[in-house]
Amino acid sequence: MTGRISHRAEISEKLAGIRLDQAAAQLFPQYSRARLQAWIKSGQLRVNTELKRPRDKLLPGDKLELDAILEAEEIWEAESQTLDILFEDEALLVLNKPAGLVVHPAAGHRAGTLLNGLLHHCPDLEMLPRAGIVHRLDKDTTGIMVVAKSLEAHNALVKQMQAREISREYEAVVQGVLTGGGTVDAAMGRHPKNRKKRAVVNNGKEAITHYRILKRFRSHTHVRVNLETGRTHQIRVHMAHVKHPLIGDQMYGGRLRLPVGASAELRDELQRFKRQALHARRLELAHPLTGTVVQWEVKPPQDFAQLLQTLTYDSELEAMRDG
């Protein structure tokens, strides 16, 4: 599938003398600099009908003509899926991702991913980078995701993400009893020995996680987490780094630790909970078309709610015994 876009602009005195790619970025800010440079090199963005180089300087009155054909970024299969859509308009699609769903095709997961389902729901997404997906959730993490439905919206969301203007709030249940909220500021990168994992490393990329306590249990803590950066597995790695890994985290949680004196219900629940107890609860951003700040919120799924209920019951039993 292909699509076409067409724009015209004239170089003002203010923009005269700067490079073509720099002027194009100012005149067509809805597209990324890399994409504009590619259009210049392919002749889809011309000056006075002439082919120019990205570094060529412009004169007052020069006319920029953008006539570009959008083509599929990659060949992916569209698959019918039931999507829990919270909001959709011409620019955005906001959904609630369930546990067990891989977001993007990769080796071993070419089909059955969220991206495959998105392409069935909205075929034009195949012309966008990663089918409009601007951030991911791990396979077993649940909650809110936003997908761009146009190049303009995609570029706007990526810029907001890079400027840390998108607010992402999570809920998690961690092992151990935290004494208070805090911030983990620890650079992350690939694990030195296991390529599938991430780790806190000296030469990694900046990673900052803020957390505060929602409720303490006998041997666990329910926390609310805000991301300042968005590294792969960031919350899972950071909470494990401070010795409070997420319940059920098969990759970073270590062996299952059952609290001494735990109720039979809690032991069964902890043994049954086989995914990281992590849910993307709230998302806030500026709408790409209007600039209006919009937000969405979704409660944790049933298994997460059941875990909290069992932890509460176990704590109440302990309090009764102590009383």
Side-chain angles (χ1 to χ4, degrees):
M1 182 178 291
T2 60
R4 183 180 294 275
I5 61 172
S6 180
H7 296 288
R8 300 289 183 271
E10 184 172 321
I11 297 301
S12 64
E13 292 284 349
K14 182 180 178 181
L15 293 179
I18 69 173
R19 293 167 48 122
L20 170 55
D21 56 354
Q22 294 171 335
Q26 292 190 46
L27 293 169
F28 309 123
Q30 63 270 48
Y31 306 112
S32 69
R33 177 76 65 89
R35 187 172 288 271
L36 289 168
Q37 287 178 334
W39 283 335
I40 293 168
K41 292 174 182 176
S42 66
Q44 296 182 89
L45 200 170
R46 293 173 176 252
V47 181
N48 304 322
T49 73
E50 298 177 356
L51 184 64
K52 296 286 186 178
R53 298 168 299 180
R55 68 174 182 270
D56 285 343
K57 303 294 178 62
L58 299 176
L59 299 173
D62 279 345
K63 293 178 173 57
L64 271 60
E65 303 164 356
L66 174 57
D67 290 295
I69 295 175
L70 300 179
E71 298 181 345
E73 292 274 327
E74 271 191 65
I75 304 302
W76 295 300
E77 293 293 328
E79 299 175 9
S80 178
Q81 288 181 18
T82 300
L83 300 177
D84 184 2
I85 297 174
L86 306 174
F87 171 85
E88 184 174 11
D89 65 7
E90 61 189 294
L92 300 178
L93 186 152
V94 180
L95 57 90
N96 181 22
K97 189 190 87 69
L101 181 61
V102 174
V103 169
H104 194 278
H109 285 286
R110 293 298 299 175
T113 71
L114 174 61
L115 185 146
N116 301 113
L118 287 169
L119 288 178
H120 183 271
H121 177 77
C122 185
D124 287 349
L125 288 176
E126 72 174 355
M127 294 182 288
L128 302 183
R130 298 189 181 277
I133 296 170
V134 294
H135 68 120
R136 302 190 194 188
L137 294 178
D138 296 337
K139 175 185 175 183
D140 289 325
T141 298
T142 59
I144 299 178
M145 286 185 58
V146 62
V147 177
K149 292 180 63 180
S150 68
L151 261 183
E152 295 88 342
H154 184 272
N155 191 45
L157 291 178
V158 169
K159 285 182 177 179
Q160 287 186 53
M161 194 77 72
Q162 292 172 342
R164 303 181 185 179
E165 294 170 349
I166 293 180
S167 175
R168 290 168 290 165
E169 185 175 274
Y170 295 73
E171 285 189 32
V173 185
V174 302
Q175 298 180 27
V177 181
L178 287 162
T179 57
T183 295
V184 184
D185 184 349
M188 287 178 51
R190 285 197 180 274
H191 193 283
K193 296 181 180 178
N194 186 339
R195 299 279 300 171
K196 293 183 178 180
K197 297 177 69 173
R198 298 297 191 274
V200 170
V201 291
N202 291 330
N203 60 344
K205 294 181 178 179
E206 182 185 33
I208 302 173
T209 303
H210 307 283
Y211 62 90
R212 64 184 179 89
I213 294 172
L214 292 176
K215 188 173 182 179
R216 294 185 184 89
F217 302 104
R218 185 151 61 97
S219 301
H220 301 87
T221 310
H222 183 198
V223 295
R224 183 155 291 167
V225 183
N226 287 89
L227 289 179
E228 192 167 322
T229 55
R231 307 303 175 200
T232 300
H233 300 175
Q234 180 173 318
I235 295 173
R236 300 165 63 190
V237 170
H238 271 178
M239 296 314 296
H241 179 65
V242 296
K243 311 303 182 187
H244 290 282
L246 274 58
I247 285 181
D249 195 332
Q250 304 298 304
M251 184 171 286
Y252 301 103
R255 65 179 182 83
L256 176 63
R257 288 178 271 177
L258 296 174
V260 176
S263 64
E265 290 82 0
L266 179 58
R267 288 198 301 272
D268 290 345
E269 183 67 33
L270 293 175
Q271 290 170 342
R272 188 166 53 237
F273 206 94
K274 297 295 186 182
R275 70 174 185 89
Q276 61 268 12
L278 183 60
H279 173 71
R281 182 184 184 100
R282 183 175 169 276
L283 181 73
E284 180 179 292
L285 53 85
H287 193 285
L289 296 184
T290 66
T292 303
V293 175
V294 288
Q295 62 176 334
W296 298 271
E297 189 167 338
V298 64
K299 293 180 180 179
Q302 178 57 37
D303 66 340
F304 195 105
Q306 178 63 46
L307 174 63
L308 291 175
Q309 184 178 328
T310 305
L311 286 165
T312 299
Y313 174 70
D314 178 78
S315 293
E316 289 173 349
L317 281 181
E318 183 194 30
M320 290 171 59
R321 286 196 297 266
D322 292 345

